[in-house]
């Protein structure tokens, strides 16, 4: 039988008509989208143990899918039956506490705040609508209750409606269970069928794209639940130790709110702070205001630990997104799919990022899955850049790069936390300390910069004193150089390279170290926090050093142990070399033009 080929115009017409039909069908069956999304998510979770068991046992996938799904259902039912009474009591107790807190807030009358005789703020008018809203929360009128009932139970009350609601719920549960079983059983065949729909030349790339998307969701499914549990337990213990009422409920709230991306922990902190301010501690003999500040600071510290240590290791960087993007995505997800849209906002946006990157690379005829650059590739790129702009000067950070201070700080903190040895071994505490200090170094630099710009000399002196004490400031005679750094500096100076120091330390510290090591005559320029108004990662210190040397930043290379040094160099237009002898790790310094284990290796590349 002979067939006629479709013309390009007719093919385009068919594709457009198909897309229009798919969109129309999507809107027509929107009721099924929520249960379908839940079924796909549950199927993905169930498929993880099924895949492992299939590889290890070689049993039938159908049998394994049935066993795992049945086991999950039984565990869920047993958990609900056993946990429900305790959970109910927990929620009732927590609700009673919140009602007490709100009742106290209703009796508060904000007084005008007088800053100067001519400048007074009266918060009373702003508090009035808040007061009315709080009263509606704890004392809802009949209309509000009726509206709430209509929202929760849209079908009219009565025996018939109860039966219809029960039957509908059972139908959707049965629908989700059957669909989960089918998706788990036929998952590999579905993937193979999708790949068979595309031309042979595209299959390898499509298979790689599916694997990339799978890894994103794998990290989310495995990491998010662990993350929620860890945060919930930490908050529970933290509030119990501080003496905040209803600590178990606050831990449960933090665990649940951790599903809300970006702002979950902040939302969970609000009830804790309010309880601390209104009720106070169960054992700490301090005013409620001070106790509220302590509770708030504990959440701030936990947020820093979460972002610096827990999130990268438990959830992974593959779905790490800017908080603003995640919050906007969660708001959009709430409009599209309600609570489920909020929960799945982060992995969905991360998946769209993977797909968008793939499409962009294909549009510009680039490799969508480039292999990671090897050390030889980085060295070749370095040589090419240096050939285009010959280096004239090498700028060094001090702490962790030339001076052995970073490791000393870490070891002191690790020794102070020795009571955690049974739960956190030394290696884990050392890595955690390094991550937290790395995350807060930039924040400290920005705080000092702001105070300097505002000419708050007294406050700046106090902040500088605190930072020096926290960093383990030592007398000049106690400064110790990084192994091999002194010989490296003398050798570079013999190569007619101009040397400079760019540090966030004071000029007094920098001068003391150089004098102690007899290196003062080797350096052409020394830029400290006393010489610039903005500290690293702002490019100003690097730019000022280049200016005093009479060079352009492209003729300089910045050597440092943290991403602050790398970012400052990149923003200034200079090259950057990361050294692994201080705070930074290879992952932290991944944006550097070159990474070496120690400063002594610089003589081989400069």
């Amino acid at each position: 039988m002979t067939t006629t080929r479709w013309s390009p115009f007719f093919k385009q017409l068919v594709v457009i008509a198909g897309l229009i039909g798919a969109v129309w069908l999507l809107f027509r069956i929107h009721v099924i989208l929520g249960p379908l999304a839940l079924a796909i998510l549950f199927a993905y979770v169930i498929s993880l143990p099924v895949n492992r068991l299939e590889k290890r046992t070689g049993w039938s996938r159908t049998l394994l899918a049935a066993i795992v799904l049945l086991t999950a259902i039984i565990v869920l039912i047993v958990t609900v039956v056993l946990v429900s009474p305790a959970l109910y009591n927990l929620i009732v107790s927590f609700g009673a506490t919140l009602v007490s807190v709100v009742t106290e807030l209703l009796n508060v009358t904000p007084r005008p705040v007088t800053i100067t005789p001519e400048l007074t703020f009266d918060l009373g008018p702003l508090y009035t609508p808040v007061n009315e809203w709080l009263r509606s929360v704890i004392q809802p009128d009949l209309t509000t209750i009726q509206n709430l009932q209509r929202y929760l139970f849209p079908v009219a009350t009565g025996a018939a409606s109860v039966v219809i609601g029960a039957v509908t719920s059972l139908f959707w549960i049965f629908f989700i269970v059957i669909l989960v079983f089918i998706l788990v059983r036929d998952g590999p065949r579905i993937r193979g069928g999708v790949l068979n729909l595309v031309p042979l030349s595209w299959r390898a790339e499509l298979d790689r794209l599916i694997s990339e998307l799978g890894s994103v969701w794998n990290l989310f499914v495995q990491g998010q639940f662990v993350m929620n549990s860890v945060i919930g337990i930490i908050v529970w213990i933290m509030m119990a130790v501080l003496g905040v009422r209803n600590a178990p409920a606050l831990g449960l709230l933090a665990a649940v709110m951790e599903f809300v991306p970006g702002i979950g922990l902040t939302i969970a902190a609000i009830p804790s702070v309010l309880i601390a301010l209104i009720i106070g501690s169960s054992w700490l003999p301090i005013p409620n205001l001070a106790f509220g500040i302590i509770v708030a600071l504990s959440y701030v510290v936990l947020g820093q630990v979460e972002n610096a240590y827990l999130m990268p290791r438990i959830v992974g960087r593959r779905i790490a997104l800017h908080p603003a993007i995640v919050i906007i995505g969660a708001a959009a997800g709430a409009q599209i799919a309600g609570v489920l849209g909020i929960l799945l906002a982060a992995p969905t946006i991360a998946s769209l990022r993977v797909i968008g990157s793939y499409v962009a690379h294909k549009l510009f005829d680039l490799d969508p899955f480039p292999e990671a650059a090897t050390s030889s590739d980085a060295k070749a790129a370095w040589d090419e850049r240096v050939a285009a702009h010959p280096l004239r000067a090498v700028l060094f950070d001090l702490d962790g790069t030339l001076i052995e201070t970073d490791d000393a700080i870490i070891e002191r903190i690790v020794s102070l936390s020795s009571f955690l040895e049974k739960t956190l071994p030394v290696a884990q505490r050392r890595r955690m300390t390094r991550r937290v200090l790395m995350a807060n170094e930039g924040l400290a630099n920005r705080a000092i910069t702001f105070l300097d710009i505002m000419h708050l000399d007294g406050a700046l002196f106090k902040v500088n004193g605190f930072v020096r004490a926290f960093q383990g400031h030592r007398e000049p005679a106690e400064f110790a150089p990084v192994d091999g750094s002194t010989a490296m500096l003398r050798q570079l100076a013999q190569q007619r390279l101009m040397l400079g120091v760019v540090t966030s330390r004071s000029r007094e510290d920098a001068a003391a170290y150089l004098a102690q090591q007899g290196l003062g005559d080797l350096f052409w320029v020394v830029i400290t926090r006393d010489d610039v108004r903005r500290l690293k990662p702002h490019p100003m210190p690097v730019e000022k050093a280049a200016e005093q040397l009479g060079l352009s930043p492209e003729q300089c290379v910045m050597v440092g142990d943290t991403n602050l040094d790398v970012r400052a160099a990149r923003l200034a237009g200079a090259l950057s070399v990361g050294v692994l002898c201080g705070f930074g790790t290879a992952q932290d310094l991944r944006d550097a033009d070159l990474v070496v284990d120690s400063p002594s290796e610089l003589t081989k590349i400069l």
Side-chain angles (χ1 to χ4, degrees), residues 70 181 234 420:
L70 182 61
F181 174 74
I234 291 176
L420 298 174

Side-chain angles (χ1 to χ4, degrees), residues 263-320:
I263 58 175
L265 188 61
T266 302
I267 297 175
I270 295 175
S272 303
V273 175
L274 289 177
I275 293 173
L277 289 173
I278 302 300
I279 300 179
S281 174
S282 61
W283 67 275
L284 285 176
I286 59 177
N288 289 2
L289 178 60
F291 184 57
I293 295 175
I294 292 174
V295 172
L297 289 177
S298 67
Y299 274 95
V300 171
V301 172
L302 178 58
Q304 293 293 319
V305 173
E306 177 188 13
N307 295 328
Y309 182 79
L310 298 177
M311 184 66 72
R313 284 161 175 76
I314 297 177
V315 178
R317 299 181 183 274
R318 295 292 299 279
I319 60 174

Side-chain angles (χ1 to χ4, degrees), residues 87 224 228-229 231-232 249-261 264-265 268 339 343:
L87 183 62
Q224 190 64 51
N228 290 24
S229 302
I231 291 296
L250 294 173
L252 178 62
L253 176 65
V256 173
M257 295 309 300
E258 192 66 20
F259 278 113
V260 180
L265 188 61
V339 176
L343 301 182

Side-chain angles (χ1 to χ4, degrees), residues 181-382:
F181 174 74
I182 294 174
L183 291 175
V184 173
R185 183 193 63 184
D186 299 333
R189 281 186 283 182
I190 294 174
R191 178 171 180 170
V194 172
L195 293 176
N196 289 332
L197 293 176
V198 302
L200 183 61
S201 58
W202 292 12
R203 291 180 188 174
E205 283 190 5
L206 181 59
D207 187 56
R208 175 69 179 275
L209 180 61
I210 293 175
S211 298
E212 291 287 326
L213 294 174
S215 65
V216 168
W217 284 89
N218 188 32
L219 287 171
F220 171 75
V221 171
Q222 295 186 10
Q224 190 64 51
F225 288 95
V226 175
M227 187 73 182
N228 290 24
S229 302
V230 170
I231 291 296
I233 293 173
I234 291 176
V235 170
W236 180 2
I237 295 174
M238 190 166 61
M239 294 300 100
V241 169
L242 291 175
V244 181
R245 267 70 168 181
N246 299 106
L250 294 173
L252 178 62
L253 176 65
V256 173
M257 295 309 300
E258 192 66 20
F259 278 113
V260 180
I263 58 175
L265 188 61
T266 302
I267 297 175
I270 295 175
S272 303
V273 175
L274 289 177
I275 293 173
L277 289 173
I278 302 300
I279 300 179
S281 174
S282 61
W283 67 275
L284 285 176
I286 59 177
N288 289 2
L289 178 60
F291 184 57
I293 295 175
I294 292 174
V295 172
L297 289 177
S298 67
Y299 274 95
V300 171
V301 172
L302 178 58
Q304 293 293 319
V305 173
E306 177 188 13
N307 295 328
Y309 182 79
L310 298 177
M311 184 66 72
R313 284 161 175 76
I314 297 177
V315 178
R317 299 181 183 274
R318 295 292 299 279
I319 60 174
L321 301 165
H322 193 279
I325 296 177
V326 176
I327 292 172
I328 294 173
Q335 292 294 322
I336 297 172
V339 176
L340 187 62
I342 298 176
L343 301 182
L344 302 182
T348 301
I349 296 174
S351 300
L352 292 176
R353 180 174 60 182
V354 172
I355 296 173
S357 175
Y358 173 80
V359 172
H361 280 78
K362 297 300 291 185
L363 289 176
F364 289 96
D365 297 324
L366 300 174
D367 184 3
F369 303 111
E371 298 299 330
T374 62
S375 57
S376 59
D377 295 333
K379 184 61 169 62
W382 169 272

Side-chain angles (χ1 to χ4, degrees), residues 3-134:
T3 60
T4 57
R5 291 188 176 183
W6 288 356
S7 65
F9 172 75
F10 189 72
K11 292 178 180 178
Q12 295 171 6
L13 187 63
V14 170
V15 171
I16 293 174
L19 291 175
I20 294 175
V23 172
W24 175 84
L25 183 63
L26 190 64
F27 279 100
R28 294 294 295 179
I29 63 171
H30 67 278
V31 177
I32 203 175
L33 293 181
L36 179 62
L38 281 175
I40 294 174
L41 180 61
F42 290 153
Y44 187 83
V45 174
I46 297 297
S47 66
L48 296 177
V50 170
N51 293 336
R52 294 183 180 179
L53 290 173
E54 186 181 22
K55 290 180 181 179
R56 293 186 178 183
T57 63
W59 293 0
S60 167
R61 188 174 182 87
T62 302
L63 176 61
L64 291 174
I67 293 175
V68 174
L69 182 58
L70 182 61
T71 303
I73 293 174
I74 294 174
V75 170
L76 180 62
I77 293 175
V78 172
T79 302
V80 170
V81 171
L82 294 179
V83 173
S84 292
L87 183 62
Y88 174 79
N89 294 331
L90 194 67
I91 294 175
V92 169
S93 175
F94 184 52
T97 301
L98 289 183
V99 169
S100 301
V101 170
V102 173
T103 303
E104 290 290 335
L105 290 176
L106 290 174
N107 298 325
V108 173
T109 303
R111 300 178 179 177
V113 178
T114 302
I115 298 178
T116 65
E118 297 80 15
L119 185 60
T120 301
F121 292 99
D122 186 5
L123 302 178
L126 298 178
Y127 182 72
T128 300
V130 176
N131 186 289
E132 294 176 354
W133 177 79
L134 289 174

Side-chain angles (χ1 to χ4, degrees), residues 430-508:
R430 187 177 289 116
R431 287 195 298 269
M432 183 175 178
T433 303
R434 184 182 296 273
R435 295 297 307 167
V436 172
L437 292 177
M438 273 283 295
N440 286 279
E441 185 175 359
L443 181 63
N445 278 7
R446 289 185 179 91
I448 296 173
T449 295
F450 175 75
L451 292 174
D452 194 12
I453 292 174
M454 298 299 294
H455 300 287
L456 301 176
D457 297 336
L460 178 61
F461 177 81
K462 293 180 180 179
V463 172
N464 287 348
F466 172 76
V467 173
R468 289 159 66 91
F470 181 74
Q471 291 184 343
H473 179 68
R474 296 176 286 185
E475 296 300 325
E478 297 182 27
F479 282 137
V482 173
D483 290 341
S485 61
T486 303
M488 174 271 300
L489 292 171
R490 298 187 186 282
Q491 188 170 347
L492 291 182
Q494 294 175 0
Q495 298 177 10
R496 297 184 179 181
L497 285 170
M498 291 185 283
L499 304 183
V501 168
V502 176
T503 178
S504 297
R505 275 187 175 269
S506 66
R507 177 164 292 277
E508 177 187 1

